[in-house]
Amino acid sequence: MSKSAAALTAISPYMTGATIQRADHIRTDPDALAQHMHWRAKLLKLDNLAPGITPEGGLLWQSLGELEADEEPLFLGLDGETPYFVALPAPSGPRGVEHYNPHLWQAIAHMPREQLALYGAARSLVDWHQRHGFCAVCGIPTKISKAGWARHCDKDNGGCGAEHFPRVDPVAIMLAEHDGKILLGRQPRFPAKRFSALAGFIEPGESIEEGVARELFEEAGITVHNVRYVTSQPWPFPSSLMIACIVDCDDPTLTLDTTEIEEADWFDREQVVAAMRGDKNAAFIAPPPFAVAYDLMKYWLDT
């Protein structure tokens, strides 16, 4: 096995690795679902999309019997014979813009990976339901179907009958490489000295390769080629799939879009190693290990 293949095999991004079986056959069978809705089933409740945390740092699970009258259970899947659900709260009016929660980031950093992956799915699912209570086709209120993995516009309620499913937004996140250095940038909201890989949404009608090239040109003014896929990571803030790539750049001259990138620079291996070690005098602060940018930088160092 080549060095690059070994590095790729070793990547295990946070938010992946849930041991749960999603059990689609139960989602689509109301009778089977009803048989799994018993007091031994486990229930996750979210407070403004943040989970309860045990003293040991894991998710705080309750019995399905503790579901409130104004909550609806969304089926996450099976772990062995145990069903897992997440509670969908009753609608509470318009939601504000979601801000980053430092306490949640701290909890994520220490949560067991398989539980973090399950929380990511639960969070994205609840968030989607809270954002999509009305049919995008005709505007009629929709109802939960398929155990929480769809919403249905009810014809009996004057609707059009359309079905709506949770969406995942593809995001390209990439390292451009030139002469043994990689390009990293800072968004205005980042803490001081925090640099990360550049990223952006893939637009309709684009391939991954085209989205990578466009984003790097728009944000940093560079032209790239030879896009290589590295790994992917679900990112439930609110519901993205981070597609990590490395690309080659021949001309390192930068022209930044300062509405997106406050600062950017090229960093060599020694600087990246120092940052990922957390050295005090490092040229920048590396992304946290639960971000796929960290895995991408580690992969670059290992190949």
Side-chain angles (χ1 to χ4, degrees):
M1 181 182 294
S2 68
K3 185 177 179 182
S4 60
L8 182 58
T9 302
I11 294 176
S12 179
Y14 279 72
M15 301 286 179
T16 64
T19 57
I20 203 165
Q21 178 194 357
R22 297 199 172 210
D24 182 68
H25 63 288
I26 295 175
R27 296 180 187 176
T28 55
D29 185 340
D31 292 335
L33 178 64
Q35 293 174 11
H36 287 82
M37 297 180 66
H38 47 69
W39 67 270
R40 290 185 298 275
K42 293 190 175 183
L43 178 70
L44 179 65
K45 291 193 179 186
L46 304 181
D47 180 10
N48 196 26
L49 297 179
I53 303 294
T54 67
E56 296 76 28
L59 292 174
L60 180 63
W61 293 95
Q62 302 178 27
S63 165
L64 185 60
E66 297 181 65
L67 188 76
E68 302 291 339
D70 62 349
E71 296 174 331
E72 296 194 64
L74 310 177
F75 179 62
L76 296 175
L78 298 173
D79 189 353
E81 297 296 320
T82 303
Y84 282 73
F85 293 83
V86 61
L88 176 65
S92 56
R95 297 174 55 203
V97 176
E98 182 180 345
H99 295 284
Y100 287 90
N101 181 340
H103 301 293
L104 178 58
W105 292 145
Q106 187 176 24
I108 283 175
H110 297 94
M111 191 180 296
R113 285 175 179 255
E114 68 279 1
Q115 293 190 40
L116 182 56
L118 190 52
Y119 163 63
R123 178 192 172 100
S124 288
L125 190 59
V126 169
D127 183 79
W128 178 77
H129 280 283
Q130 291 179 331
R131 292 171 183 262
H132 294 82
F134 295 85
C135 179
V137 179
C138 69
I140 294 294
T142 53
K143 294 182 178 179
I144 293 173
S145 62
K146 296 190 176 178
W149 290 89
R151 295 191 72 92
H152 180 245
C153 185
D154 191 359
K155 285 186 176 180
D156 294 336
N157 193 35
C160 64
E163 275 194 306
H164 305 278
F165 298 90
R167 311 308 301 173
V168 175
D169 299 316
V171 177
I173 181 167
M174 50 273 171
L175 295 178
E177 183 177 17
H178 172 79
D179 195 24
K181 297 181 179 181
I182 54 171
L183 176 65
L184 301 175
R186 287 192 67 257
Q187 294 184 18
R189 63 177 176 80
F190 282 9
K193 289 190 68 175
R194 171 85 78 194
F195 279 73
S196 187
L198 273 61
F201 289 98
I202 295 174
E203 295 184 349
E206 281 187 327
S207 66
I208 294 173
E209 293 82 358
E210 290 167 334
V212 166
R214 176 186 53 77
E215 282 291 339
L216 285 170
F217 182 76
E218 289 177 354
E219 294 188 354
I222 59 173
T223 301
V224 299
H225 59 93
N226 190 25
V227 179
R228 287 99 70 195
Y229 168 81
V230 175
T231 191
S232 64
Q233 179 194 44
W235 188 247
F237 303 100
S239 189
S240 297
L241 178 64
M242 309 300 292
I243 302 169
C245 300
I246 292 179
V247 302
D248 294 332
C249 173
D250 293 332
D251 182 354
T253 306
L254 301 178
T255 303
L256 300 185
D257 175 0
T258 54
T259 63
E260 295 283 342
I261 304 297
E262 187 171 77
E263 186 181 1
D265 206 348
W266 297 91
F267 296 93
D268 62 27
R269 288 180 178 270
E270 184 178 340
Q271 291 171 310
V272 174
V273 167
M276 295 187 71
R277 276 199 311 243
D279 290 357
K280 273 188 186 179
N281 298 321
F284 66 96
I285 299 173
F290 57 78
V292 74
Y294 182 94
D295 294 294
L296 192 53
M297 291 162 61
K298 186 175 184 301
Y299 174 83
W300 178 74
L301 290 173
D302 289 344
T303 55

